[in-house]
Amino acid sequence: MMIEKICEIINDEYCCDIDITIEEWKELLTNPTVFDDKSKEAIKKWYIEPGYSATCGYIGKKYNEHSMSANGIINGLAGRVQKELGRFVVKGIGGIATGTRFIVVMKSKLINAKPKTWEWTIREELVKAIEELNIFSDYSYSDDALISDISDNDISSDNPHFEYSGRPKNKKDPVYVKNKYSYPRSHKVSINALRHANNKCEFDDTHLTFTRRNSDLSYTEPHHLVPITYHNNFEVSLDVEENIVSLCCNCHKQIHLGKGFEVMLEKLHNDRKDLLTRVGIDITLDELIKLYKNN
């Protein structure tokens, strides 16, 4: 007989003791009868958000769909997860989603008492399983699309600072998108890089910028110092925080399109060359300038 797991509300968090390991999540993720395409698409909408968190209302507005659309899909997914594991069922409590099952794949926190608004966050073990399997490696941005998507999101954080890991990361495989191969760019990595720079222009931190529309942070744009289009030239990933600089709009356009980009590269390379070496990206200034001239 399966165990009933009863949800609890503790410090405004809707909690349940779900003992699903990373390895079990990996098996579930690769089982198409559990994680069908609709489920993966729904989960991805949370996965690409800062902190893997969002409300259903926010997701509905962003994707122009009913706020409960993803709710139904994730509840269905949670039911299949329970059935596949065959060892527990989740029961809601009180007047809060008495029959809900989403808590199997998400955590939930009350973020606004009136009206009651619940923010969902993908469980840590599921996030790690997704990362280890590169389930969403097909989520490939162009630089412009990445910048646009970050601009459309609230990237504020209670703890906005980020520290470099100083470790190389494995390369991901390029994906075929719109008749060409493209290297995946991580939404989260770019936001981390902007946070490390305190959302200031790293070529000149006195450059004026403005406040983001959907955030209280200054607007800057992430730029891969060693262009990600040259990922085949390196044994490690170029999509790492150490290789992403924060630039104001004018500097970002100039380094791509304007005269004097060599001066900018010299300053940024001098600032980053030791960090780049630590993560396995070895490149001289002359080599870097050559890449930009050919790009």
Side-chain angles (χ1 to χ4, degrees):
M1 189 173 78
M2 289 193 289
I3 298 172
E4 283 194 356
K5 289 185 173 289
I6 309 299
C7 297
E8 299 178 272
I9 301 176
I10 302 173
N11 296 326
D12 289 335
E13 289 190 355
Y14 193 46
C15 306
C16 195
D17 179 22
I18 304 298
D19 54 344
I20 306 177
T21 66
I22 296 171
E23 290 304 315
E24 285 176 324
W25 275 121
K26 287 164 72 173
E27 291 183 12
L28 293 165
L29 280 162
T30 53
N31 183 341
T33 63
V34 178
F35 272 86
D36 57 15
D37 290 341
K38 283 187 177 180
S39 299
K40 289 181 180 178
E41 191 63 30
I43 289 295
K44 184 168 72 173
K45 291 173 182 176
W46 269 265
Y47 182 77
I48 65 175
E49 293 299 324
Y52 316 106
S53 302
T55 65
C56 284
Y58 171 82
I59 293 296
K61 183 178 180 180
K62 180 175 180 178
Y63 294 96
N64 194 29
E65 61 188 24
H66 194 282
S67 62
M68 299 303 289
S69 175
N71 182 307
I73 294 172
I74 293 173
N75 266 289
L77 166 64
R80 294 193 297 276
V81 168
Q82 291 175 79
K83 184 178 179 180
E84 182 67 21
L85 293 175
R87 63 174 182 252
F88 67 85
V89 291
V90 168
K91 298 292 183 181
I93 58 169
I96 302 176
T98 54
T100 192
R101 298 176 295 194
F102 75 87
I103 197 71
V104 173
V105 295
M106 298 283 210
K107 292 183 177 180
S108 188
K109 182 177 182 180
L110 187 64
I111 60 171
N112 189 353
K114 292 184 180 181
K116 288 183 178 179
T117 304
W118 294 87
E119 182 180 69
W120 293 10
T121 304
I122 303 177
R123 289 185 170 273
E124 293 90 338
E125 293 82 7
L126 177 52
V127 169
K128 290 177 181 177
I130 290 170
E131 291 175 344
E132 288 184 18
L133 291 174
N134 286 331
I135 290 293
F136 299 137
S137 62
D138 62 336
Y139 197 79
S140 178
Y141 290 97
S142 66
D143 285 338
D144 288 342
L146 176 63
I147 291 166
S148 176
D149 190 69
I150 291 174
S151 299
D152 288 341
N153 285 277
D154 182 353
I155 64 171
S156 301
S157 172
D158 293 335
N159 182 23
H161 193 63
F162 173 83
E163 292 295 339
Y164 295 131
S165 71
R167 297 186 300 273
K169 292 183 181 178
N170 293 331
K171 291 171 62 172
K172 295 180 179 179
D173 294 328
V175 294
Y176 196 65
V177 180
K178 295 182 180 180
N179 300 317
K180 65 178 182 179
Y181 282 98
S182 179
Y183 192 85
R185 295 154 173 81
S186 169
H187 177 277
K188 181 182 178 183
V189 168
S190 290
I191 290 176
N192 287 342
L194 297 183
R195 286 175 174 165
H196 190 275
N198 293 318
N199 296 277
K200 294 181 179 180
C201 178
E202 291 187 80
F203 177 65
D204 186 337
D205 62 11
T206 66
H207 283 177
L208 293 178
T209 182
F210 52 88
T211 303
R212 289 180 178 274
R213 181 177 299 169
N214 298 323
S215 171
D216 56 353
L217 302 175
S218 297
Y219 180 89
T220 55
E221 297 177 346
H223 171 71
H224 289 81
L225 185 57
V226 179
I228 203 164
T229 51
Y230 292 99
H231 63 88
N232 282 337
N233 295 15
F234 298 85
E235 296 297 322
V236 297
S237 176
L238 297 180
D239 191 43
V240 293
E241 290 86 356
E242 289 85 349
N243 186 44
I244 298 177
V245 293
S246 171
L247 296 175
C248 66
C249 303
N250 189 68
C251 283
H252 199 187
K253 290 297 183 184
Q254 183 179 354
I255 205 168
H256 278 295
L257 304 172
K259 293 182 179 179
F261 73 92
E262 298 94 339
V263 175
M264 301 178 73
L265 287 178
E266 182 175 8
K267 196 270 182 188
L268 294 171
H269 181 264
N270 284 339
D271 290 345
R272 290 294 182 105
K273 58 185 179 183
D274 291 338
L275 288 169
L276 291 174
T277 299
R278 289 178 197 168
V279 295
I281 304 172
D282 293 308
I283 189 167
T284 67
L285 175 60
D286 288 342
E287 290 170 336
L288 186 60
I289 291 173
K290 185 176 180 179
L291 293 185
Y292 276 71
K293 287 182 176 178
N294 294 334
N295 202 17

